[in-house]
Amino acid sequence: AEDLANLHDHAETCAVSRIILASASTGKGHISAAKALEVELDARAHEAEYLDVLDLTPRAFQAWYRGGYELLVRRRPEPSGSLYKDSDSPGWKYSFQCWLDMVFCRGLDQYLDDRQADWIVCTHSLPQPRIDAWRQKSSGLRMAAVVTDLYPHSMWLRGEPDHWFVPSEWSKTVLEERVPGSGERTTVTGIPIHPAFRTEETKAEARAKLGLDPEMPTILVTIGGIGGGPLEQLLTRIAEQSPGIQAAVACGWNASAEAAAGRAAEKLDMKMKIWGHAEIEEMASLMRACDLLVGKPGGLTTSEALAAGCPFLVAEPFLIPGQEEGNADFLVEEGIGVRASTLDQAGELTAELIQDPDRLASMSKRALAAAKPEAAGLIAEKLAQL
């Protein structure tokens, strides 16, 4: 809070900036981070414009990024994880990905030519190589990267960003090791989340608003917009192990997950309410309403859960190998979460935690202590300062 106040005092003397918030519509997290920043920048009277970079790419490339990649994550998570790890170091996979991003993002050139922006802030690494190439022939535009996972993968290092915003001091240390000298242009802010997660709302108020029983132990099950995995079987294990609880199931844009949840609701003796795409305010209330979140630890989901004080059970059958493993390790090491390697273990741990309210209260307290709900505001103020 003190950092935010100091930055705000300085920012008030700075000119209004034109800022492009560049993301890619694959999964929910990257978009949510950009939208959270847009809210904060607009509140400070900057000219902020959201850009889905995929809209500027050929249809075949869009189909791969929005469909093929997501299908690979859902159906074949192990090869997806291997690709993530292999492209984190110099080699043909890293070089090929950089070439693809450079070639198919060429529509960015005209977009940037048509605007006189001061900053382009990337909440997805896709456009970074093309932005850097465009900057070689134009002056004035600066680029920032908002790293949306604890671990700064090589994709975030591309294009020599003028500034990085990272989730934690550990992230900054790793980035400094990977890019010597980067510490001077790196700020630890946390991952930007929507102001809705800073709203004061009690568990009882959230449950009443969402139509949930105020007296029943409540879990929130969420597997992310592109998450795959045996959702119906997970809900079955939980219902068998934890009679007398209610489940809120958030499926995002994942139609197959919503259908699986619907099948489970019809056959299981467990009170269940299902959301497809939940608006951000609804998701904030869902996290505040629950006693335990069961799902996959995407970067944004993790940050939102921390801000809501929400204990986390990482269900490994739904975890995306590579990028989400560091987030899962963080939750366990900080005493905020536990990991279940199998569906049976997920059911057992859910029952164990629901029956131990003191432990859940301790996990919630640790989550709130680790949260950085002001991340979007800190980034907005730092950009003004820079």
Side-chain angles (χ1 to χ4, degrees):
E2 183 179 352
D3 290 343
L4 184 60
N6 292 337
L7 284 170
H8 181 68
D9 290 342
H10 179 90
E12 285 186 333
T13 66
C14 299
V16 172
S17 297
R18 297 192 65 187
I19 300 171
I20 298 167
L21 301 168
S23 192
S25 53
T26 172
K28 175 189 171 187
H30 304 287
I31 302 170
S32 296
K35 292 295 185 179
L37 282 171
E38 187 176 30
V39 170
E40 295 290 348
L41 290 165
D42 286 345
R44 291 159 175 77
H46 293 294
E47 296 180 22
E49 178 178 345
Y50 171 76
L51 168 67
D52 183 351
V53 177
L54 285 175
D55 289 341
L56 303 178
T57 63
R59 290 185 179 180
F61 189 74
Q62 293 180 30
W64 156 243
Y65 240 90
R66 290 175 174 151
Y69 169 72
E70 296 180 6
L71 184 64
L72 181 64
V73 167
R74 287 196 296 267
R75 299 282 181 85
R76 302 292 300 277
E78 291 80 11
S80 173
S82 296
L83 180 62
Y84 175 87
K85 293 173 183 176
D86 291 346
S87 62
D88 191 36
S89 56
W92 75 266
K93 292 181 181 178
Y94 171 82
S95 299
F96 183 61
Q97 185 63 61
C98 291
W99 178 82
L100 285 175
D101 295 349
M102 173 71 77
V103 170
F104 289 106
C105 289
R106 57 183 176 270
L108 258 175
D109 291 5
Q110 187 62 53
Y111 179 90
L112 295 174
D113 285 340
D114 293 341
R115 288 154 178 82
Q116 298 296 318
D118 301 297
W119 282 90
I120 183 162
V121 180
C122 302
T123 64
H124 193 290
S125 65
L126 168 64
Q128 288 178 212
R130 194 76 203 187
I131 294 167
D132 187 52
W134 184 87
R135 292 196 303 171
Q136 304 306 315
K137 60 184 180 65
S138 301
S139 60
L141 179 69
R142 287 184 286 177
M143 175 171 58
V146 179
V147 181
T148 53
D149 283 302
L150 283 167
Y151 176 70
H153 189 277
S154 287
M155 294 295 140
W156 290 109
L157 314 182
R158 302 179 300 172
E160 291 294 320
D162 296 284
H163 209 83
W164 281 277
F165 297 100
V166 297
S168 69
E169 288 291 344
W170 178 82
S171 307
K172 182 177 180 179
T173 299
V174 173
L175 183 58
E176 173 71 29
E177 292 171 353
R178 307 200 75 183
V179 184
S182 62
E184 297 178 357
R185 46 198 172 105
T186 301
T187 303
V188 177
T189 58
I191 298 173
I193 59 175
H194 195 276
F197 288 90
R198 301 201 300 269
T199 302
E200 293 187 8
E201 183 180 45
T202 67
K203 187 171 292 187
E205 289 170 341
R207 290 182 183 179
K209 183 169 73 175
L210 296 166
L212 297 169
D213 189 314
E215 303 299 327
M216 294 183 72
T218 305
I219 64 168
L220 169 62
V221 179
T222 175
I223 59 171
I226 65 172
L231 178 60
E232 186 176 352
Q233 293 90 324
L234 172 66
L235 292 169
T236 300
R237 301 296 196 285
I238 291 172
E240 291 171 347
Q241 296 283 339
S242 301
I245 72 168
Q246 65 183 336
V249 186
C251 302
W253 299 110
N254 194 328
S256 61
E258 190 171 356
R263 291 192 298 271
E266 290 177 358
K267 70 178 185 179
L268 296 177
D269 184 20
M270 179 170 67
K271 188 173 182 180
M272 191 184 310
K273 191 168 182 179
I274 302 167
W275 277 260
H277 171 65
E279 296 298 333
I280 194 69
E281 291 82 3
E282 275 188 307
M283 183 56 70
S285 291
L286 280 166
M287 288 191 178
R288 286 190 286 264
C290 74
D291 298 298
L292 176 68
L293 188 155
V294 181
K296 59 189 284 297
L300 263 290
T301 300
T302 299
S303 295
E304 291 166 353
L306 295 179
C310 187
F312 210 120
L313 192 159
V314 177
E316 290 190 18
F318 300 87
L319 182 147
I320 298 177
Q323 64 201 80
E324 293 180 349
E325 290 175 0
N327 301 335
D329 291 340
F330 166 80
L331 290 167
V332 173
E333 289 167 8
E334 294 296 319
I336 299 163
V338 296
R339 292 178 75 156
S341 59
T342 66
L343 296 176
D344 287 336
Q345 190 178 25
E348 293 166 3
L349 285 173
T350 298
E352 180 182 315
L353 289 168
I354 287 296
Q355 294 167 18
D356 192 348
D358 289 340
R359 184 179 178 189
L360 286 175
S362 175
M363 293 167 73
S364 177
K365 186 176 180 180
R366 288 172 177 270
L368 290 170
K372 293 184 172 67
E374 299 286 352
L378 284 169
I379 293 172
E381 299 290 7
K382 184 65 177 181
L383 288 170
Q385 181 191 49
L386 289 168

